[in-house]
mmCIF file of all heavy atoms in Angstrom:
data_model
loop_
_atom_site.group_PDB
_atom_site.id
_atom_site.type_symbol
_atom_site.label_atom_id
_atom_site.label_comp_id
_atom_site.label_asym_id
_atom_site.label_seq_id
_atom_site.Cartn_x
_atom_site.Cartn_y
_atom_site.Cartn_z
ATOM 1 N N SER A 129 9.900 -4.789 21.212
ATOM 2 C CA SER A 129 10.510 -3.609 20.655
ATOM 3 C C SER A 129 11.032 -3.895 19.230
ATOM 4 O O SER A 129 11.999 -3.255 18.778
ATOM 5 C CB SER A 129 11.625 -3.083 21.536
ATOM 6 O OG SER A 129 12.631 -4.089 21.693
ATOM 7 N N ALA A 130 10.415 -4.829 18.533
ATOM 8 C CA ALA A 130 10.919 -5.243 17.217
ATOM 9 C C ALA A 130 9.791 -5.446 16.235
ATOM 10 O O ALA A 130 8.668 -5.774 16.600
ATOM 11 C CB ALA A 130 11.754 -6.532 17.340
ATOM 12 N N TYR A 131 10.133 -5.248 14.947
ATOM 13 C CA TYR A 131 9.196 -5.426 13.838
ATOM 14 C C TYR A 131 9.533 -6.748 13.124
ATOM 15 O O TYR A 131 10.707 -7.062 12.918
ATOM 16 C CB TYR A 131 9.294 -4.265 12.867
ATOM 17 C CG TYR A 131 8.817 -2.964 13.456
ATOM 18 C CD1 TYR A 131 9.713 -2.139 14.139
ATOM 19 C CD2 TYR A 131 7.500 -2.560 13.369
ATOM 20 C CE1 TYR A 131 9.284 -0.933 14.694
ATOM 21 C CE2 TYR A 131 7.038 -1.367 13.926
ATOM 22 C CZ TYR A 131 7.948 -0.566 14.592
ATOM 23 O OH TYR A 131 7.525 0.621 15.169
ATOM 24 N N HIS A 132 8.470 -7.462 12.716
ATOM 25 C CA HIS A 132 8.675 -8.762 12.094
ATOM 26 C C HIS A 132 7.779 -8.903 10.874
ATOM 27 O O HIS A 132 6.603 -8.567 10.926
ATOM 28 C CB HIS A 132 8.351 -9.889 13.082
ATOM 29 C CG HIS A 132 9.138 -9.843 14.346
ATOM 30 N ND1 HIS A 132 10.389 -10.378 14.468
ATOM 31 C CD2 HIS A 132 8.837 -9.289 15.554
ATOM 32 C CE1 HIS A 132 10.837 -10.162 15.697
ATOM 33 N NE2 HIS A 132 9.938 -9.509 16.372
ATOM 34 N N LEU A 133 8.370 -9.404 9.794
ATOM 35 C CA LEU A 133 7.618 -9.686 8.562
ATOM 36 C C LEU A 133 8.288 -10.853 7.855
ATOM 37 O O LEU A 133 9.497 -10.892 7.757
ATOM 38 C CB LEU A 133 7.544 -8.479 7.684
ATOM 39 C CG LEU A 133 6.679 -8.586 6.384
ATOM 40 C CD1 LEU A 133 6.126 -7.225 6.000
ATOM 41 C CD2 LEU A 133 7.515 -9.114 5.217
ATOM 42 N N GLU A 134 7.464 -11.774 7.399
ATOM 43 C CA GLU A 134 8.002 -12.900 6.660
ATOM 44 C C GLU A 134 6.932 -13.392 5.674
ATOM 45 O O GLU A 134 5.792 -13.597 6.044
ATOM 46 C CB GLU A 134 8.356 -14.083 7.616
ATOM 47 C CG GLU A 134 8.842 -15.302 6.914
ATOM 48 C CD GLU A 134 9.205 -16.432 7.885
ATOM 49 O OE1 GLU A 134 9.355 -16.161 9.092
ATOM 50 O OE2 GLU A 134 9.331 -17.597 7.430
ATOM 51 N N CYS A 135 7.325 -13.506 4.404
ATOM 52 C CA CYS A 135 6.408 -14.109 3.424
ATOM 53 C C CYS A 135 7.233 -14.886 2.403
ATOM 54 O O CYS A 135 8.444 -14.663 2.260
ATOM 55 C CB CYS A 135 5.534 -13.042 2.747
ATOM 56 S SG CYS A 135 6.422 -11.930 1.660
ATOM 57 N N HIS A 136 6.544 -15.827 1.760
ATOM 58 C CA HIS A 136 7.200 -16.735 0.809
ATOM 59 C C HIS A 136 6.435 -16.755 -0.499
ATOM 60 O O HIS A 136 5.190 -16.740 -0.505
ATOM 61 C CB HIS A 136 7.283 -18.142 1.384
ATOM 62 C CG HIS A 136 7.890 -18.198 2.768
ATOM 63 N ND1 HIS A 136 9.244 -18.175 3.014
ATOM 64 C CD2 HIS A 136 7.269 -18.229 3.982
ATOM 65 C CE1 HIS A 136 9.431 -18.231 4.320
ATOM 66 N NE2 HIS A 136 8.274 -18.228 4.932
ATOM 67 N N LEU A 137 7.140 -16.746 -1.616
ATOM 68 C CA LEU A 137 6.542 -16.753 -2.931
ATOM 69 C C LEU A 137 6.984 -18.023 -3.643
ATOM 70 O O LEU A 137 8.167 -18.345 -3.698
ATOM 71 C CB LEU A 137 6.967 -15.533 -3.743
ATOM 72 C CG LEU A 137 6.467 -14.163 -3.302
ATOM 73 C CD1 LEU A 137 7.358 -13.579 -2.233
ATOM 74 C CD2 LEU A 137 6.387 -13.211 -4.495
ATOM 75 N N ILE A 138 6.011 -18.709 -4.251
ATOM 76 C CA ILE A 138 6.300 -19.913 -4.997
ATOM 77 C C ILE A 138 5.849 -19.642 -6.458
ATOM 78 O O ILE A 138 4.652 -19.491 -6.722
ATOM 79 C CB ILE A 138 5.526 -21.130 -4.418
ATOM 80 C CG1 ILE A 138 5.939 -21.348 -2.973
ATOM 81 C CG2 ILE A 138 5.818 -22.365 -5.266
ATOM 82 C CD1 ILE A 138 5.131 -22.445 -2.285
ATOM 83 N N PRO A 139 6.829 -19.510 -7.380
ATOM 84 C CA PRO A 139 6.459 -19.205 -8.760
ATOM 85 C C PRO A 139 5.676 -20.317 -9.447
ATOM 86 O O PRO A 139 5.968 -21.504 -9.290
ATOM 87 C CB PRO A 139 7.814 -18.978 -9.451
ATOM 88 C CG PRO A 139 8.804 -19.656 -8.560
ATOM 89 C CD PRO A 139 8.246 -19.631 -7.175
ATOM 90 N N LYS A 140 4.672 -19.880 -10.241
ATOM 91 C CA LYS A 140 3.805 -20.815 -10.966
ATOM 92 C C LYS A 140 3.973 -20.669 -12.484
ATOM 93 O O LYS A 140 3.398 -21.509 -13.229
ATOM 94 C CB LYS A 140 2.355 -20.587 -10.585
ATOM 95 C CG LYS A 140 2.049 -20.750 -9.097
ATOM 96 C CD LYS A 140 0.556 -20.588 -8.794
ATOM 97 C CE LYS A 140 0.095 -19.135 -9.041
ATOM 98 N NZ LYS A 140 -1.328 -18.961 -8.667
ATOM 99 N N LYS A 141 4.660 -19.614 -12.941
ATOM 100 C CA LYS A 141 4.770 -19.331 -14.375
ATOM 101 C C LYS A 141 6.169 -18.813 -14.665
ATOM 102 O O LYS A 141 6.717 -18.023 -13.954
ATOM 103 C CB LYS A 141 3.706 -18.311 -14.782
ATOM 104 C CG LYS A 141 3.753 -17.932 -16.242
ATOM 105 C CD LYS A 141 2.736 -16.830 -16.564
ATOM 106 C CE LYS A 141 2.854 -16.372 -18.003
ATOM 107 N NZ LYS A 141 1.952 -15.238 -18.305
ATOM 108 N N SER A 142 6.737 -19.287 -15.788
ATOM 109 C CA SER A 142 8.086 -18.855 -16.170
ATOM 110 C C SER A 142 8.050 -17.450 -16.728
ATOM 111 O O SER A 142 7.013 -16.935 -17.172
ATOM 112 C CB SER A 142 8.675 -19.829 -17.221
ATOM 113 O OG SER A 142 7.829 -19.857 -18.353
ATOM 114 N N GLY A 143 9.208 -16.769 -16.721
ATOM 115 C CA GLY A 143 9.306 -15.431 -17.257
ATOM 116 C C GLY A 143 10.391 -14.639 -16.568
ATOM 117 O O GLY A 143 11.105 -15.124 -15.685
ATOM 118 N N LEU A 144 10.545 -13.385 -17.016
ATOM 119 C CA LEU A 144 11.474 -12.421 -16.415
ATOM 120 C C LEU A 144 10.647 -11.520 -15.476
ATOM 121 O O LEU A 144 9.651 -10.939 -15.905
ATOM 122 C CB LEU A 144 12.172 -11.583 -17.484
ATOM 123 C CG LEU A 144 13.009 -10.411 -16.991
ATOM 124 C CD1 LEU A 144 14.181 -10.887 -16.114
ATOM 125 C CD2 LEU A 144 13.536 -9.594 -18.176
ATOM 126 N N TYR A 145 11.104 -11.397 -14.241
ATOM 127 C CA TYR A 145 10.310 -10.687 -13.231
ATOM 128 C C TYR A 145 11.108 -9.610 -12.551
ATOM 129 O O TYR A 145 12.346 -9.747 -12.319
ATOM 130 C CB TYR A 145 9.774 -11.649 -12.192
ATOM 131 C CG TYR A 145 8.726 -12.596 -12.710
ATOM 132 C CD1 TYR A 145 9.059 -13.858 -13.176
ATOM 133 C CD2 TYR A 145 7.373 -12.228 -12.767
ATOM 134 C CE1 TYR A 145 8.105 -14.744 -13.623
ATOM 135 C CE2 TYR A 145 6.411 -13.099 -13.242
ATOM 136 C CZ TYR A 145 6.763 -14.351 -13.692
ATOM 137 O OH TYR A 145 5.831 -15.213 -14.161
ATOM 138 N N TYR A 146 10.416 -8.543 -12.221
ATOM 139 C CA TYR A 146 10.959 -7.429 -11.409
ATOM 140 C C TYR A 146 10.106 -7.357 -10.143
ATOM 141 O O TYR A 146 8.931 -6.976 -10.224
ATOM 142 C CB TYR A 146 10.901 -6.131 -12.208
ATOM 143 C CG TYR A 146 11.120 -4.873 -11.402
ATOM 144 C CD1 TYR A 146 11.984 -4.815 -10.301
ATOM 145 C CD2 TYR A 146 10.417 -3.707 -11.733
ATOM 146 C CE1 TYR A 146 12.168 -3.636 -9.597
ATOM 147 C CE2 TYR A 146 10.596 -2.544 -11.043
ATOM 148 C CZ TYR A 146 11.461 -2.502 -9.963
ATOM 149 O OH TYR A 146 11.633 -1.335 -9.244
ATOM 150 N N LEU A 147 10.701 -7.698 -9.038
ATOM 151 C CA LEU A 147 10.016 -7.694 -7.722
ATOM 152 C C LEU A 147 10.422 -6.433 -6.961
ATOM 153 O O LEU A 147 11.575 -6.027 -6.989
ATOM 154 C CB LEU A 147 10.384 -8.943 -6.939
ATOM 155 C CG LEU A 147 9.840 -9.128 -5.520
ATOM 156 C CD1 LEU A 147 9.711 -10.635 -5.201
ATOM 157 C CD2 LEU A 147 10.761 -8.478 -4.459
ATOM 158 N N SER A 148 9.443 -5.849 -6.271
ATOM 159 C CA SER A 148 9.727 -4.684 -5.469
ATOM 160 C C SER A 148 9.075 -4.866 -4.093
ATOM 161 O O SER A 148 7.861 -5.064 -4.009
ATOM 162 C CB SER A 148 9.212 -3.409 -6.122
ATOM 163 O OG SER A 148 9.373 -2.286 -5.263
ATOM 164 N N PHE A 149 9.895 -4.865 -3.052
ATOM 165 C CA PHE A 149 9.383 -4.897 -1.684
ATOM 166 C C PHE A 149 9.670 -3.524 -1.068
ATOM 167 O O PHE A 149 10.784 -3.191 -0.717
ATOM 168 C CB PHE A 149 10.058 -6.003 -0.885
ATOM 169 C CG PHE A 149 9.652 -5.976 0.572
ATOM 170 C CD1 PHE A 149 8.399 -6.361 0.998
ATOM 171 C CD2 PHE A 149 10.569 -5.539 1.560
ATOM 172 C CE1 PHE A 149 8.029 -6.314 2.331
ATOM 173 C CE2 PHE A 149 10.186 -5.484 2.882
ATOM 174 C CZ PHE A 149 8.945 -5.852 3.279
ATOM 175 N N GLY A 150 8.644 -2.693 -1.007
ATOM 176 C CA GLY A 150 8.826 -1.317 -0.569
ATOM 177 C C GLY A 150 7.916 -0.905 0.558
ATOM 178 O O GLY A 150 7.193 -1.734 1.135
ATOM 179 N N SER A 151 7.923 0.378 0.876
ATOM 180 C CA SER A 151 7.119 0.950 1.933
ATOM 181 C C SER A 151 6.322 2.094 1.385
ATOM 182 O O SER A 151 6.824 2.961 0.671
ATOM 183 C CB SER A 151 8.022 1.409 3.106
ATOM 184 O OG SER A 151 7.276 2.211 3.982
ATOM 185 N N SER A 152 5.013 2.110 1.731
ATOM 186 C CA SER A 152 4.137 3.233 1.331
ATOM 187 C C SER A 152 3.897 4.189 2.478
ATOM 188 O O SER A 152 2.824 4.823 2.546
ATOM 189 C CB SER A 152 2.804 2.687 0.800
ATOM 190 O OG SER A 152 2.993 1.862 -0.309
ATOM 191 N N ILE A 153 4.855 4.311 3.364
ATOM 192 C CA ILE A 153 4.697 5.136 4.533
ATOM 193 C C ILE A 153 4.438 6.602 4.178
ATOM 194 O O ILE A 153 3.686 7.298 4.827
ATOM 195 C CB ILE A 153 5.902 4.983 5.482
ATOM 196 C CG1 ILE A 153 5.670 5.709 6.821
ATOM 197 C CG2 ILE A 153 7.180 5.533 4.810
ATOM 198 C CD1 ILE A 153 6.765 5.454 7.824
ATOM 199 N N ASN A 154 5.059 7.036 3.095
ATOM 200 C CA ASN A 154 4.913 8.442 2.670
ATOM 201 C C ASN A 154 3.473 8.743 2.268
ATOM 202 O O ASN A 154 2.941 9.821 2.504
ATOM 203 C CB ASN A 154 5.857 8.749 1.520
ATOM 204 C CG ASN A 154 5.963 10.244 1.235
ATOM 205 O OD1 ASN A 154 5.673 11.071 2.089
ATOM 206 N ND2 ASN A 154 6.306 10.576 0.019
ATOM 207 N N ALA A 155 2.817 7.759 1.623
ATOM 208 C CA ALA A 155 1.460 7.953 1.161
ATOM 209 C C ALA A 155 0.382 7.712 2.234
ATOM 210 O O ALA A 155 -0.614 8.376 2.305
ATOM 211 C CB ALA A 155 1.198 7.061 -0.033
ATOM 212 N N TRP A 156 0.645 6.700 3.083
ATOM 213 C CA TRP A 156 -0.394 6.250 4.004
ATOM 214 C C TRP A 156 -0.059 6.529 5.473
ATOM 215 O O TRP A 156 -0.930 6.411 6.322
ATOM 216 C CB TRP A 156 -0.648 4.767 3.838
ATOM 217 C CG TRP A 156 -1.227 4.428 2.498
ATOM 218 C CD1 TRP A 156 -1.880 5.279 1.617
ATOM 219 C CD2 TRP A 156 -1.214 3.160 1.829
ATOM 220 N NE1 TRP A 156 -2.264 4.627 0.507
ATOM 221 C CE2 TRP A 156 -1.873 3.336 0.604
ATOM 222 C CE3 TRP A 156 -0.724 1.900 2.164
ATOM 223 C CZ2 TRP A 156 -2.049 2.265 -0.302
ATOM 224 C CZ3 TRP A 156 -0.879 0.865 1.297
ATOM 225 C CH2 TRP A 156 -1.545 1.034 0.050
ATOM 226 N N GLY A 157 1.179 6.899 5.804
ATOM 227 C CA GLY A 157 1.521 7.088 7.210
ATOM 228 C C GLY A 157 2.448 8.247 7.486
ATOM 229 O O GLY A 157 3.183 8.289 8.446
#
Side-chain angles (χ1 to χ4, degrees):
S129 59
Y131 294 89
H132 303 275
L133 184 150
E134 177 180 345
C135 69
H136 309 278
L137 292 84
I138 301 175
K140 301 183 293 184
K141 179 184 175 184
S142 60
L144 172 62
Y145 291 94
Y146 165 37
L147 177 151
S148 174
F149 174 72
S151 167
S152 299
I153 188 173
N154 191 25
W156 294 340

